[in-house]
Amino acid sequence: IVGDEGRWRLVTGCADGAVRVWSVSKPRRIGSVADDDDDNDDGHEENAIKEEAGDDVQSRAAASSSDKDDACSFIGTLSPPPNVATSNEKVASIHFHPNGRYVGVCRTNGKSIVIYLVRSEAEAQRKKTRRIRRRREKGGRKTADLGDVKKAGRKRGILDDDESDDDDNEHQDGSDAAALHQGIDSESIQASDEFEYIATVRASHKIKGFVFAPFVERGGGIRIVCALATNALEVHSVVKKVGTAKGSDNPSITYIASKLSTLDMYGHPTGVRSISLSSDDILACTVSKSVTKVWNVANRSCIRSLPLSSSSTSSVSYYGLCSAFLPGNTHVIIGTREGHLLILDVASGDIVYIEEDAHDGAIWSLDLRRPNPEHDEPIAIVTGSADKMVKFWDVERQEDAEEGAHHPMVVHTRSLQMTDDVVAVRYSHSIDPTRRMVFVSSLDCTVKVFFDDTLKFFLSLYGHKLPALALDAADDDTILATGGADKTIKIWGLDFGDTHRTLHGHTDSITDLKFVRRTHYFLTAGKDGTMRYWDADRFEQILLLNGHAAEVSCLAVSRTGAFALTGGMDRQIRVWERTKDIVFLEEERERELEAMFDQVDGSKGGDKDTTAILQRRRQGDEEDELEGDDNAADDDQPQSEAVVRRSVLSVAAGDRIMEAIELADQETKDIATFNKVQKKIGRDGQEEKRRAPNPMLLGMEPPQYILWVLRTVKSADLEQSLLVLPLGHMERLLHYLILLLRSGRGVELCSKIAVFLVKTHQPQIIANRSLATPLRELKRLVKLRLAEIRDTVGFNQAALRTIAKVANDRKNAYFVPGNDGKDIWSGLGLGSDVAAALQSK
């Protein structure tokens, strides 16, 4: 408490809802307690109170003789008066004012903050004196009333009580009773003597946190800043007013709490569902539940905050799902969950047009058609909805005779019926009407391609196991990229609809995908909270960008590719700028491996970490056995943890395997090139040369070197090191396993690795058709080689059993060597006949 160097108070709150106050002192022996209490005694107290304080010191010293070194002593709880509504929710946060004279208490899921005033030391002593005096007076009145009742021979009724204490006295009596129940001496200073309730600050929404402003207003008022669950800030003021009590000349002090301002311009109340850029990359529009905001990208400032509500009835609000800037960048069109299309004026912030019931379901996606400057084509929009319909709209101007303004409107022109709900829809980038296409992703996990001019069906792209939530085509309309809820990205050729490659990287559903203009690079966003940068020509991941605290739901890329915007369910809008730094893919791979290694056993930690749960259970086994309580919740917790855990050795072994595969691939290419050159030399009649063995491979052949590296990995780290391998290296390893099984080398080890890789990468293997032929060959070789080993082992076991049988039959016979030279092992087929023939020779 600032100003009172001798007073330190600790205020704590927990899940039971009680706010407890503790007196904090320097730990020392109890022998000096009497001196301290004598120093703290008020010189203006009455003599009787001084004597009681001395007795109190002695009682406290005797009571605390068992625990003489406690630094904290409990002095009571904080509770508002009975006429103030409060809750018993667990305490979320407690803060002191910087001057130490005020303390605020906020509870979980609450909309209010209870403010207490901290009295000075002199005021606390006077409050303690009045409390003790009133308690004694009330006790004396009760004794006198009890005597009068006995003399009168009748019971005292409620109406016979001419004198009644005020609410403060009743509240104080309750505090004394609670203090006695909690083992606190009623003669000592309590929390109710030092802390006084003054006001309750009430916010408009749930409070997630608060802080006191580090200054005091003129007249003794304070300010409190509250952070709300709607991503807004509210500033409240608690002002002290001095007045005169009714029927008395004594001044009375009251505190009044009021809201001063609200800061909600820069924050979305809920997660960002859609983000779009203007054609000049100056403005950005973000959409969330019932709110649309327009931003200046250059200075990161919010220009407009537009509520998605009808002007006639403000109580009706719309849930925005998708958006796009109309040509001219003066209006924004938004598709809602209710199936309406809204057009907003950026300058005025009003909804200038509503196409009600444009769809019978939620409008999940919309896209604008790229205009053709050579043809006089209207501005066209395509929308996809959950009502299994794809609708096409033309943008026209509406005449407003009163204001003379020309606002756009949409007119329905065509419809396309689908068999399932439409998840995403996009136009191709071609400006030729005869080559322009429409891509539609539906809930049946397929992507269908139609011609825009005739709506004639062109291609059906299937391969995703779950619906494709995002899709986009390159500027040249040669390839199409789709990202699905199955965590995969597929790149399709638009000539024949073939799958060029399936890319893996995201650990959760992919929510949005955008190509960079005039390139084959594209960006993806996913529910794993990451944004990734890909190369569609080399089928490689270039960058992994982290930053969001929750799933990323949308992204937008500038027309020059200089920056990208992402919005997520954490209500953040992040700007990613392209720099001139050179990216090395090997360093990015190493960084990903380091991030994987930081997660000790592959989990993200927290309460869901299996190892952490088991460790806590092991630590609490003794306590549970002593208490003898059966916790039924333990049945839902994991009973065991993974046998294999990532370690430094397993990660290093994985790196060695990847390096060995790369060296083997390079050596295979060099051998093929050398053999080709030697064949040409042989045809010319020149003498062929012999290729020297590669020292990097220890003079071994590539498959033999791979087998040697695999044998150097410990059995305990083998499976974990194989998990580190990317999908491309896994495919090459399967190729070398086939070569090793054909030659019959390392059959057991190769079979074990092949089975583990197939089980681990089963979804990726099934989605990749190019592995079908190698898998069939691998299956045939594994069965063949294991059958040969099984036959060999069975033959050896039969031979050992035969030898054991012969030894057992003749273990009691004595062999006396003679001159006849008879061999006891002859006729058994064990090679002794050959030995006898050699001996006779």
Side-chain angles (χ1 to χ4, degrees), residues 675-689:
N675 293 335
K676 185 177 180 181
V677 173
Q678 292 301 315
K679 287 181 180 180
K680 184 177 180 182
I681 293 174
R683 286 195 300 268
D684 295 341
Q686 300 179 9
E687 184 181 358
E688 296 183 3
K689 298 181 180 179

Side-chain angles (χ1 to χ4, degrees), residues 349-416:
D350 298 330
I351 299 177
V352 297
Y353 181 78
I354 300 178
E355 181 69 24
E356 295 185 353
D357 298 329
H359 284 273
D360 295 334
I363 301 176
W364 294 112
S365 178
L366 64 84
D367 192 25
L368 265 71
R369 184 175 65 189
R370 180 177 291 186
N372 188 355
E374 298 179 358
H375 298 79
D376 188 13
E377 292 182 340
I379 302 171
I381 298 173
V382 60
T383 57
S385 171
D387 60 355
K388 305 178 183 179
M389 294 290 294
V390 178
K391 293 187 177 182
F392 298 84
W393 312 78
D394 286 346
V395 179
E396 300 179 356
R397 289 187 177 273
Q398 56 175 333
E399 298 291 338
D400 194 340
E402 297 180 359
E403 300 180 1
H406 300 281
H407 294 299
M409 60 179 293
V410 293
V411 178
H412 179 226
T413 58
R414 297 176 296 171
S415 296
L416 181 62

Side-chain angles (χ1 to χ4, degrees), residues 34-45 49-51 53-54 57 121 125 128:
D35 299 335
D36 295 339
D37 286 277
D38 292 339
D39 294 339
N40 293 333
D41 286 340
D42 190 4
H44 301 284
E45 276 187 317
I49 301 300
K50 288 184 178 180
E51 293 176 0
V57 171
E121 190 173 2
Q125 290 290 345
K128 168 190 167 184

Side-chain angles (χ1 to χ4, degrees), residues 157-390:
I158 299 177
L159 299 178
D160 297 333
D161 189 6
D162 297 333
E163 297 179 0
S164 61
D165 296 331
D166 54 4
D167 294 339
D168 188 20
N169 294 341
E170 293 178 359
H171 181 56
Q172 194 63 51
D173 294 340
S175 300
D176 291 340
L180 291 174
H181 179 70
Q182 296 172 356
I184 304 174
D185 189 2
S186 60
E187 303 294 335
S188 60
I189 290 182
Q190 301 177 5
S192 59
D193 301 331
E194 294 189 344
F195 294 86
E196 177 186 2
Y197 167 81
I198 58 174
T200 300
V201 175
R202 302 189 184 279
S204 57
H205 293 86
K206 293 180 181 179
I207 300 174
K208 292 296 184 180
F210 74 97
V211 67
F212 285 97
F215 58 85
V216 178
E217 296 180 351
R218 184 177 301 176
I222 58 174
R223 287 194 180 185
I224 303 170
V225 182
C226 306
L228 306 183
T230 58
N231 205 15
L233 296 177
E234 284 187 357
V235 182
H236 294 260
S237 175
V238 179
V239 182
K240 180 172 67 174
K241 290 188 177 182
V242 180
T244 303
K246 294 182 179 180
S248 175
D249 296 336
N250 297 328
S252 63
I253 299 176
T254 58
Y255 291 85
I256 300 176
S258 60
K259 184 173 71 172
L260 297 181
S261 61
T262 303
L263 304 176
D264 58 353
M265 184 74 170
Y266 288 90
H268 277 278
T270 57
V272 181
R273 299 302 302 265
S274 174
I275 186 169
S276 57
L277 279 168
S278 60
S279 59
D280 53 5
D281 294 339
I282 295 178
L283 300 178
C285 175
T286 57
V287 179
S288 66
K289 180 181 179 181
S290 70
V291 174
T292 298
K293 294 183 183 293
V294 180
W295 307 79
N296 188 331
V297 180
N299 55 19
R300 316 288 194 261
S301 61
C302 184
I303 300 175
R304 288 282 186 274
S305 183
L306 315 175
L308 296 180
S309 59
S310 177
S311 57
S312 59
T313 58
S314 59
S315 60
V316 178
S317 61
Y318 305 107
Y319 197 124
L321 296 177
C322 51
S323 64
F325 272 94
L326 293 178
N329 303 324
T330 58
H331 294 81
V332 178
I333 184 168
I334 297 174
T336 65
R337 189 173 61 180
E338 293 79 14
H340 309 319
L341 283 175
L342 312 178
I343 297 180
L344 279 71
D345 187 3
V346 176
S348 63
D350 298 330
I351 299 177
V352 297
Y353 181 78
I354 300 178
E355 181 69 24
E356 295 185 353
D357 298 329
H359 284 273
D360 295 334
I363 301 176
W364 294 112
S365 178
L366 64 84
D367 192 25
L368 265 71
R369 184 175 65 189
R370 180 177 291 186
N372 188 355
E374 298 179 358
H375 298 79
D376 188 13
E377 292 182 340
I379 302 171
I381 298 173
V382 60
T383 57
S385 171
D387 60 355
K388 305 178 183 179
M389 294 290 294
V390 178

Side-chain angles (χ1 to χ4, degrees), residues 616-636:
R616 289 197 300 270
R617 290 185 61 187
R618 294 189 192 103
Q619 293 174 0
D621 281 344
E622 295 184 6
E623 298 178 1
D624 295 340
E625 291 177 0
L626 293 175
E627 294 176 359
D629 295 336
D630 294 334
N631 190 1
D634 291 342
D635 297 337
D636 298 333

Side-chain angles (χ1 to χ4, degrees), residues 411-427:
V411 178
H412 179 226
T413 58
R414 297 176 296 171
S415 296
L416 181 62
Q417 181 69 42
M418 305 297 293
T419 57
D420 287 278
D421 295 1
V422 178
V423 180
V425 60
R426 284 290 182 274
Y427 273 113

Side-chain angles (χ1 to χ4, degrees), residues 61-83:
S64 60
S65 60
S66 61
D67 193 1
K68 299 181 179 180
D69 292 332
D70 284 346
C72 297
S73 59
F74 178 63
I75 62 174
T77 59
L78 296 183
S79 58
N83 59 347

